[in-house]
Amino acid sequence: MTPAARLSTAIDLLCAIENAPRRPADATANAFFRERRYIGGGDRRVVSGRVWDVLRGWRRLHWHLRDMEGGASPRALCAASLLLAGESFDVVNGLFSGERFAQNPLASRERAALMPLEGRSLSDPAMPRAVRLEFPDWLEPYLIATFGDELERELAAMEGAAPLDLRVNLLKTDCEKALSALRQDSLLARPMALSPWGLRLDGRQPVTAAASFREGLVEIQDEGSQLVVAAVDAKPGERVLDFCAGAGGKTLALAMTMHNKGQIVACDVSAQRLEGAVKRLRRAGAHNVERHLLVSGDKWVKRRAGSFDRVLVDAPCSGTGTWRRNPDARIRLTENDISELRVKQAQILDRAASLVKPGGRLVYATCSLLAEENMAQIDAFLSRRADFELAPAGGEVLPEALREQSSFSLTPLRNGTDGFFAAVLRRVNVATTPET
């Protein structure tokens, strides 16, 4: 594709994302490219890179275009993104030629709004802090409660793109062999600092097309997510429940730590997500997993009360810790979402807790930065449940600094991972308050 065609396609994709405001941008992008299989891998990466640059700079771009007649359109946003990244106006204007596969020429109102941006930077000292750091205005008190004086540094660390992290599948290989296989696929990786199973790739590399991925030697999984699995500390022969399994990313890692011995039950409320796990489980060679769809009125939970050695609750959350990967989540998140999620998280935690054996382990995790979804949930849970207590994470896999902690928070600034929270609880033999 020509540069003009790539830009035009990026504008079309951004339009599709704007037209589906409650759908994650990556889901919209996947559907967009599935319908246009003629677009090659290299062009897809350029197009999606341009769109993700716009999403990462969403509030700042709108600030620069705040006086634009008719508001900032996808055309103007993509053009402004190029200009504020250092491109000249003449070059950008030339991409809107109206020729085959190119966008129509810029209108006078577009030219008037875009020309002054040449030579300027995306961030501007005059911007309000929430605009400059790309978060909703209403979220500032929540972030201050979490980060205090470190807010600006923590949010600045979330501005760029996240690295591509892999987990070595020890059911099929080891780290050295996985590194060798990746090199044969022309993929350059290096061991991670915190996860002993982790490899980190530099830049955007086509992992899913590589033989090492297709053969199940590696899985895509952020280092922070790998450490959450390490906190579960699942052992071979145990009975383990992944209560909010989704498409099975952590389930796969649990099967690995258990050496395929024992039983894992992967639960979710979405049949589509659970079905999506089947191919991944087969590719990874995970044989000790069964799936269960949670539906309203289901007696499954009640019948299995107190029967699991380990229960992982990877709770639905705001996703604020994944903003580097999913910058559109900043745009979609509302304060009402936080309120609804907190209620849902508490309900899920109570339900999952009933499945833990006395002496068993319950791990609550989110990919949120917000204290309201994290330690505040644990404090509230412990006030309801006298039969649970915080316990040291322990295990041999977690970094030594985390082993003695009963909860930990990871951030891009401090740890180089996505934002994650995990708390480890143990069920003790104390009479419980009857569940409602």
Side-chain angles (χ1 to χ4, degrees):
M1 297 175 71
T2 65
R6 285 173 167 176
L7 178 61
S8 183
T9 305
I11 291 168
D12 290 342
L13 174 54
L14 190 56
C15 286
I17 291 170
E18 282 197 345
N19 289 334
R22 298 302 293 173
R23 188 184 190 190
D26 58 352
T28 299
N30 289 338
F32 180 90
F33 288 120
R34 274 198 304 272
E35 294 168 0
R36 297 163 177 81
R37 296 189 182 275
Y38 56 84
I39 300 177
D43 290 323
R44 283 198 302 271
R45 285 189 288 276
V46 172
V47 168
S48 58
R50 173 54 46 206
V51 171
W52 257 248
D53 282 348
V54 170
L55 295 174
R56 287 191 186 96
W58 189 260
R59 294 208 69 185
R60 286 170 290 174
L61 289 168
H62 278 80
W63 185 87
H64 281 290
L65 297 171
R66 62 194 181 280
D67 296 326
M68 182 176 177
E69 181 186 343
S73 66
R75 278 165 54 97
L77 290 166
C78 286
S81 177
L82 287 168
L83 289 165
L84 294 167
E87 196 58 85
S88 71
F89 179 79
D90 285 344
V91 168
V92 173
N93 186 50
L95 297 174
F96 291 81
S97 64
E99 297 175 356
R100 191 183 184 198
F101 304 127
Q103 289 279 307
N104 289 331
L106 293 172
S108 57
R109 63 180 182 82
E110 293 174 317
R111 293 170 61 86
L114 292 168
M115 286 181 69
L117 302 186
E118 184 175 18
R120 296 178 65 178
S121 298
L122 180 59
S123 293
D124 189 297
M127 291 174 173
R129 179 160 73 168
V131 172
R132 180 166 43 83
L133 296 175
E134 294 286 343
F135 62 81
D137 293 341
W138 61 264
L139 192 60
E140 188 158 12
Y142 294 84
L143 294 172
I144 291 172
T146 298
F147 295 125
D149 293 340
E150 289 294 292
L151 186 155
E152 296 224 7
R153 293 183 67 231
E154 290 282 359
L155 269 291
M158 301 189 73
E159 182 177 321
L164 180 55
D165 289 353
L166 304 178
R167 176 183 55 78
V168 176
N169 179 14
L170 300 183
L171 294 176
K172 291 193 170 187
T173 189
D174 59 35
C175 289
E176 286 302 317
K177 291 176 182 176
L179 279 168
S180 177
L182 288 165
R183 282 195 296 269
Q184 291 178 26
D185 292 328
S186 300
L187 298 173
L188 302 179
R190 63 185 186 279
M192 289 179 179
L194 302 175
S195 170
W197 316 313
L199 301 175
R200 179 159 289 175
L201 292 165
D202 294 319
R204 299 170 62 86
Q205 300 187 48
V207 172
T208 57
S212 48
F213 177 84
R214 296 197 310 270
E215 294 167 6
L217 305 185
V218 293
E219 286 286 337
I220 297 172
Q221 186 176 24
D222 181 79
E223 186 174 24
S225 178
Q226 296 181 38
L227 295 177
V228 168
V229 172
V232 179
D233 197 27
K235 300 289 198 300
E238 290 184 329
R239 198 153 186 258
V240 177
L241 175 64
D242 188 352
F243 197 65
C244 305
K250 293 182 178 67
T251 305
L252 293 171
L254 289 168
M256 181 191 75
T257 67
M258 295 170 68
H259 304 163
N260 256 342
K261 299 174 182 177
Q263 181 192 32
I264 302 172
V265 181
C267 292
D268 204 85
V269 295
S270 167
Q272 184 177 3
R273 286 196 293 264
L274 283 178
E275 191 60 31
V278 173
K279 184 177 179 181
R280 300 180 73 186
L281 291 165
R282 188 180 300 122
R283 184 178 65 233
H287 307 307
N288 64 334
V289 180
E290 68 177 67
R291 295 168 297 131
H292 179 77
L293 178 66
L294 296 169
V295 296
S296 179
D298 192 352
K299 303 294 184 184
W300 188 91
V301 171
K302 186 174 182 180
R303 290 170 181 162
R304 286 158 181 78
S307 64
F308 288 92
D309 298 287
R310 318 267 169 167
V311 174
L312 170 62
V313 176
D314 184 13
C317 68
S318 63
T320 46
T322 68
W323 278 353
R324 295 183 304 168
R325 300 181 193 281
N326 306 302
D328 58 299
R330 307 176 191 236
I331 305 165
R332 291 184 287 109
L333 186 65
T334 69
E335 191 163 14
N336 189 55
D337 290 335
I338 301 296
S339 300
E340 291 179 355
L341 283 165
R342 290 180 65 188
V343 172
K344 184 181 294 186
Q345 289 158 359
Q347 292 171 342
I348 290 172
L349 192 50
D350 286 339
R351 196 176 184 201
S354 69
L355 292 155
V356 183
K357 285 181 178 179
R361 172 173 293 213
L362 172 64
V363 176
Y364 172 82
T366 74
C367 53
S368 171
L369 302 171
L370 308 181
E372 285 77 8
E373 298 181 89
N374 295 337
M375 204 62 213
Q377 282 288 10
I378 297 302
D379 290 340
F381 172 76
L382 291 173
S383 73
R384 299 191 300 271
R385 296 291 299 252
D387 58 333
F388 279 86
E389 63 182 12
L390 286 164
E396 299 178 356
V397 176
L398 277 175
E400 189 172 351
L402 300 180
R403 290 178 197 169
E404 297 305 314
Q405 297 184 35
S406 56
S407 67
F408 57 83
S409 296
L410 308 171
T411 71
L413 176 66
R414 294 195 301 264
N415 311 102
T417 68
D418 281 352
F420 275 96
F421 170 83
V424 180
L425 303 109
R426 179 172 53 232
R427 189 168 193 176
V428 294
N429 287 312
V430 176
T432 65
T433 302
E435 294 182 27
T436 58

